[in-house]
Structures are given as structure tokens and as C-alpha cells.
Amino acid sequence: MFNGKREVGGGSGLLIGDHLVLTNSHVIGREENYKTLEINARLGSRNANPIKVTAVHRDDARDLALLELSQPAGDSGGTSRCPMPVIDDNQQAPMGTQLYLLGYPLDLDLSISSGLISNQSNPTGRWQTDTVMNVGNSGGPAFNEFGALLGIAVGGIVKWNDAQVSGVNFIIPATVITASPLYGMISAIPQPSVCWTKWVDTTISFENWSKLNSTHVQTQANAGMKIPEILAGAILPEDRRLIVNIPVSQLVEPKQLERSYTVDKTKDDHPVVFAEHSADYADTFPAEPGYRITGCSWHVETANGAGNIACAIGDGGAQARFTYKLTSGPAVDRYRGWLGATVNLSQTLAK
């Protein structure tokens, strides 16, 4: 520093390409505060050979930074594990989602901690989590249980109005990272080094592996295996790994589909003073894309004053129309009619 003292600090980061590391801006010292500032990255282990950082790109408003490495990560034994599925939609990681945080706390080697997404309503866009964070965790990646990136650690609250606080920590979610000016550098990473790919929430079983067109596979992440299993070394052989981030359209569609829909309707009006009143109702359910409806059945869970229940398939199987009648009592009595039912549609592949 300018006072003649030497400072050494560190934090965590995420390799997102051969030459780029994503971290927090506050992890990297400010150049103007030092006579000389040297930044090195160590990949995988804090004991690995250092790689010199040649440039720092900051987004201080979001506390983000991109570090440019002087040589490709692979030259020092690192690997970017490309492509990396990224969740940039809050609805795909709701409150209660399991979260795993990787980083280097307290100058220790690579560590993992876990917790839940506690809240997503912070005005800064950051997500609250009860995952344990300590000095050194800042900038470390946070994943869901299938290895999809949720964001990076940024810090937490340890004191509030003179009271000690624990379990109130925050990550910068991918939704905030993609809104940063730095994201232009991430999205500009050329193939095949680009890591950042959109997560598609698709469940794939082992049986589906043989049905996949390998030329359409977009990621080789260990999806279907959970983070603890991956870290424990339970890695599947390359030709048997499950994968994520595959559009459903790239799977072979099943020839038959069954879909269920809930009908819940109450007739609350009483337009006649001294007599019952009835009205007809209808719910329309479309076929799944590429399918046609071949059968419609229903099961009534609860009903009062319900009748004329029927289901008709129309437009060559493009839709099913579920119809029924509800009766409510006179205005002087005011009992209601209702229907709670499940409609089941059988569908066949139209191709």
C-alpha cells in the first residue's frame, strides 16, 4: 500500500472459460490504493500453480468482476467443465431450493457448504440464503443439487442493531449477472470455450439415454447426479452420464401421453328470488403439441347441484371440451352449486 505495508488477500471465483474468472469486485483490491498490485488465480486448489491475472473488469454497482488470465486454464491443469447450465429464471429456483456453495473460506482449500434459498425479494436483486459463508467465500459459485449455476456468493449480515446475526447471507443470482455490462464479455466467449448455457428443467432417466441424438447434446454436466455424489467421486462412465439442458423436443416423444386437469367451479349467484337457477359451464383443454386427444374421462371428487357432465373431443383431437351444469338455490335460501373434478385426457402422437 502507499503506507509501505504489504497486504495479501484472497477470495473465491468461478472459471467460465479458458481465460475468464468471475468473482466479486470487492475481492480484488483497488489499483489506486497500491503502488503495485499483483493478482494471481489458482485453479481447483489453493496449492495449484498460480496464473497471473492480466486485466480486471469491474461492475461495482453489482459487485462483480471478470479476471482475464494470462494463459488458458488448461495449460495449468485447470478445466472449465464446459458447457455449464445456468439458471437465470427465479421461478426455476424458488424459495426452498437446495443450494451448494463452493469456495475457499478462511484461507482453507476448496470447501463445500449447503443450505436453502431463503428469500428472493431483496431490492438489490440478491437472494438470501442460510448457507454458511465466511471470509474467503466471496465470489464462490452456488449450484443447485444437479450442478446448475444459481449465482455467486457475495456476503452476509453478522450484526444488526448491536445483535449478533447468523444465517442471513446472500448470493448474486445469475439474473443479476446477465444484466451486468460484464455479461457481454461472457456471451462473447468463442466456441468451444463458452461455458454459459441456459438451463432447461428437464428430467431424463437412464432409459432415455439411448434415445438421445448425440449430435444434439448441449452439455456434459453430471446432471441426474447430485452435488454430494459428484464430489464423492461417484462419476458415471462417460457413455452413461445423464445430461441436462436438453430441450424436450430433442428427446424421442412417447407415442402415448396421459394428462390430468383439475376443474373447480362454484356457482355463487342467486338471480331468482323463490326458485332455483341453473347455468351451463365448459372448460376446454388443448392437446399437447404434436399429439391428438383420443380419450377423455373424469372423476368427481366433490359436487353439489351438479349435472349433465360430459366430455367431447373436437377438431380431430386438437382439444377436449368438458361441460357440466350447476344449480344454485333461490335468493331466499342461497345454497350454492359446485363441482370439483379431475379430467383425464389420453393422447396419441400425431406424427
Side-chain angles (χ1 to χ4, degrees):
M1 296 183 71
F2 287 111
N3 59 13
K5 294 184 178 180
R6 185 185 183 203
E7 284 190 352
V8 178
S12 304
L14 174 65
L15 184 68
I16 58 172
D18 280 343
H19 289 86
L20 285 180
V21 173
L22 177 66
T23 187
N24 294 136
S25 181
H26 77 259
V27 167
I28 310 302
R30 309 296 306 194
E31 295 84 343
E32 61 269 22
N33 292 337
Y34 299 87
K35 291 182 178 179
T36 60
L37 177 63
E38 181 178 326
I39 306 170
N40 293 305
R42 301 175 187 268
L43 304 178
S45 169
R46 64 182 301 274
N47 298 315
N49 293 328
I51 301 178
K52 185 176 179 60
V53 173
T54 57
V56 179
H57 306 273
R58 299 179 187 269
D59 177 0
D60 289 323
R62 296 174 177 84
D63 198 3
L64 297 171
L66 279 177
L67 312 181
E68 288 191 53
L69 304 180
S70 60
Q71 63 188 59
D75 291 354
S76 295
T79 174
S80 56
R81 306 279 299 192
C82 294
M84 177 177 59
V86 179
I87 291 179
D88 59 1
D89 182 346
N90 292 17
Q91 294 182 348
Q92 291 181 329
M95 290 171 56
T97 295
Q98 187 75 41
L99 181 152
Y100 293 89
L101 179 66
L102 300 181
Y104 301 82
L106 307 179
D107 208 24
L108 299 173
D109 211 345
L110 183 62
S111 304
I112 184 171
S113 56
S114 65
L116 302 175
I117 295 177
S118 308
N119 190 290
Q120 295 172 314
S121 61
N122 191 291
T124 65
R126 296 174 178 180
W127 293 354
Q128 181 184 330
T129 176
D130 63 348
T131 308
V132 174
M133 294 184 192
N134 289 289
V135 175
N137 274 124
S138 293
F143 298 95
N144 73 358
E145 61 182 348
F146 295 111
L149 181 70
L150 297 171
I152 63 171
V154 66
I157 299 174
V158 296
K159 199 169 186 179
W160 181 258
N161 292 336
D162 295 327
Q164 297 298 316
V165 177
S166 63
V168 182
N169 300 309
F170 297 92
I171 68 169
I172 301 174
T175 52
V176 173
I177 297 171
T178 55
S180 168
L182 298 179
Y183 183 65
M185 295 182 62
I186 298 174
S187 60
I189 299 174
Q191 294 284 358
S193 300
V194 63
C195 289
W196 198 284
T197 62
K198 186 174 179 61
W199 163 270
V200 177
D201 192 5
T202 303
T203 301
I204 302 173
S205 67
F206 278 109
E207 290 73 20
N208 283 333
W209 175 255
S210 61
K211 300 177 182 179
L212 293 174
N213 180 343
S214 61
T215 61
H216 290 159
V217 172
Q218 296 183 352
T219 181
Q220 296 174 7
N222 293 305
M225 298 191 64
K226 299 185 178 181
I227 290 288
E229 298 167 341
I230 295 171
L231 294 179
I235 305 299
L236 298 171
E238 187 70 31
D239 61 346
R240 289 287 290 169
R241 287 183 185 173
L242 295 180
I243 55 181
V244 296
N245 205 32
I246 300 176
V248 176
S249 62
Q250 292 181 7
L251 295 175
V252 176
E253 299 97 333
K255 292 183 178 180
Q256 303 290 332
L257 283 182
E258 298 291 332
R259 291 288 185 267
S260 297
Y261 302 90
T262 299
V263 173
D264 187 4
K265 181 68 175 178
T266 300
K267 186 178 186 302
D268 288 312
D269 63 329
H270 309 274
V272 183
V273 177
F274 296 109
E276 295 179 337
H277 180 266
S278 298
D280 294 318
Y281 299 88
D283 293 280
T284 301
F285 306 105
E288 296 291 327
Y291 288 82
R292 59 184 180 86
I293 299 171
T294 56
C296 180
S297 61
W298 63 88
H299 173 72
V300 175
E301 280 83 25
T302 179
N304 181 65
N308 296 350
I309 302 174
C311 187
I313 301 171
D315 297 335
Q319 64 178 14
R321 183 177 172 83
F322 182 67
T323 57
Y324 50 97
K325 176 182 288 187
L326 296 180
T327 301
S328 61
V332 295
D333 195 343
R334 302 184 69 82
Y335 63 79
R336 302 181 300 169
W338 68 79
L339 175 66
T342 301
V343 179
N344 303 301
L345 301 182
S346 300
Q347 304 181 51
T348 301
L349 190 64
K351 299 178 180 178

